[in-house]
Amino acid sequence: MTSAALVSPRLYGVFAASVLALFAASLVVGAGSGTAALLLPSRLPRSLAALLAGAGLAIAGLVMQTIARNRFVEPSTVGATQSAGLGILAAAVFMPEAPIVLKMAAATLTALAGTALFLGLARRLPPTQPLLLPLFGIVYSSVVGAALTFLAWQADLLQFVEIWMNGEFSGVVRGRYELLFAAALMVALAWWAADRLTVAALGPAVATGLGLDLAATRRLGVVIVAVVSALTVVVVGALPFVGLVVPAMVSRLVGDNLRASLPLVALGGAGLVLAADIAGRLVRYPYEIPVGTILGVVGALVFLWLLWRGQHG
């Protein structure tokens, strides 16, 4: 921790400069000759949406890993993202004319329920086998995703759900991304609760001995994860593995102190999503590959590497 603390100021500068460069590149890459005319109505909102979604999901992943006490979980691998999709589907079936705020509220409620159920079931797993939790999370999220697909098929809304669940930024324009600023509030909330979450990660015995209300802290963590997951799915769709890859890599640099790692995690998440968005525009230019597809491929490879390192490191 001492050496990590010494290099942290330099890391902050490197991360911030990298994100700033990616943000600037995102404003102009793939825009053609009409970049200036599109800057305010389209390019700036798109880049801001990528930045906010990436930072929020990375922080949500860090919080999820902290309350689950496992580095190999994140919202899309514990069913939070898929549960948010259930809320959107329910809103589409029962409130088809509902504004986006109501859809977000429905997605938040189902994401809360799905995340809480995962944590409740995960407590039955033996703590001596840390790799069981991510494997169980993958199975659990797959079951929730299968239920979402089945219900969408029954309601003849399968294509509708596929659009919502595949993250991409091509449709983001001014007036259609501002809800993501609420993700910044969740980041601030995580910063405010950073010390409590750090203590909670030490285990029930230590947390209780230090006077921490562990149940309340976990509930706060679940709220952060659910709200960010719902916001992201409603506004831009599912963006897998952001909350797993970034916190796991940052923890190798600065350790497990949340207050020290939160800024780097937020910057790393923003940079990863911005880079994936830029890559999606360039790989098959002038066509685009959805950001969710890029992150799914890259994130899965990094996830397998982290599992391998966790077993052999």
Side-chain angles (χ1 to χ4, degrees):
M1 284 297 296
T2 303
S3 59
L6 290 176
V7 299
S8 289
R10 183 180 300 173
L11 283 175
Y12 293 147
V14 171
F15 273 56
S18 300
V19 171
L20 184 61
L22 287 168
F23 185 83
S26 178
L27 293 175
V28 297
V29 168
S33 59
T35 302
L38 293 173
L39 182 61
L40 290 179
S42 177
R43 309 302 295 186
L44 184 60
R46 177 173 183 156
S47 299
L48 284 174
L51 187 149
L52 292 168
L57 283 173
I59 293 299
L62 177 62
V63 172
M64 187 72 237
Q65 292 173 10
T66 301
I67 60 178
R69 301 178 64 200
N70 192 292
R71 286 292 179 194
F72 304 119
V73 295
E74 63 113 27
S76 69
T77 62
V78 301
T81 300
Q82 295 81 0
S83 297
L86 286 172
I88 294 174
L89 178 61
V93 172
F94 299 108
M95 300 180 294
E97 302 299 326
I100 193 171
V101 174
L102 286 181
K103 292 177 180 177
M104 192 204 76
T108 300
L109 289 175
T110 53
L112 278 169
T115 307
L117 178 59
F118 168 81
L119 290 174
L121 294 173
R123 289 175 190 166
R124 301 176 181 271
L125 299 176
T128 56
Q129 299 292 329
L131 293 184
L132 280 180
L133 187 63
L135 294 177
F136 170 71
I138 292 173
V139 173
Y140 175 80
S141 59
S142 298
V143 170
V144 178
L148 173 62
T149 300
F150 174 76
L151 293 174
W153 177 70
Q154 289 289 325
D156 197 22
L157 290 172
L158 189 57
Q159 186 175 9
F160 169 83
V161 169
E162 288 178 352
I163 292 173
W164 281 98
M165 296 304 293
N166 193 10
E168 56 95 22
F169 295 94
S170 62
V172 174
V173 293
R174 187 168 53 194
R176 291 193 56 188
Y177 79 101
E178 284 79 2
L179 273 177
L180 281 174
F181 280 105
L185 297 179
M186 294 299 103
V187 172
L189 185 59
W191 175 267
W192 173 76
D195 295 333
R196 301 181 195 182
L197 291 167
T198 300
V199 173
L202 299 177
V206 176
T208 303
L210 293 174
L212 179 70
D213 188 340
L214 187 58
T217 302
R218 284 176 173 167
R219 285 195 295 269
L220 177 63
V222 171
V223 168
I224 293 173
V225 172
V227 171
V228 172
S229 300
L231 281 169
T232 306
V233 172
V234 167
V235 178
V236 298
L239 301 176
F241 295 112
V242 177
L244 188 150
V245 170
V246 177
M249 301 301 288
V250 170
S251 69
R252 294 176 178 272
L253 299 174
V254 300
D256 295 327
N257 188 311
L258 261 72
R259 195 165 296 281
S261 62
L262 271 169
L264 294 178
V265 170
L267 289 169
L272 176 61
V273 175
L274 283 167
D277 186 35
I278 292 171
R281 297 183 225 171
L282 295 177
V283 170
R284 294 192 63 194
Y285 183 81
Y287 306 103
E288 289 191 23
I289 297 176
V291 176
T293 303
I294 299 288
L295 291 172
V297 173
V298 175
L301 293 174
V302 177
F303 180 45
L304 292 174
W305 177 77
L306 289 171
L307 287 176
W308 183 84
R309 284 294 301 267
Q311 191 172 12
H312 298 91

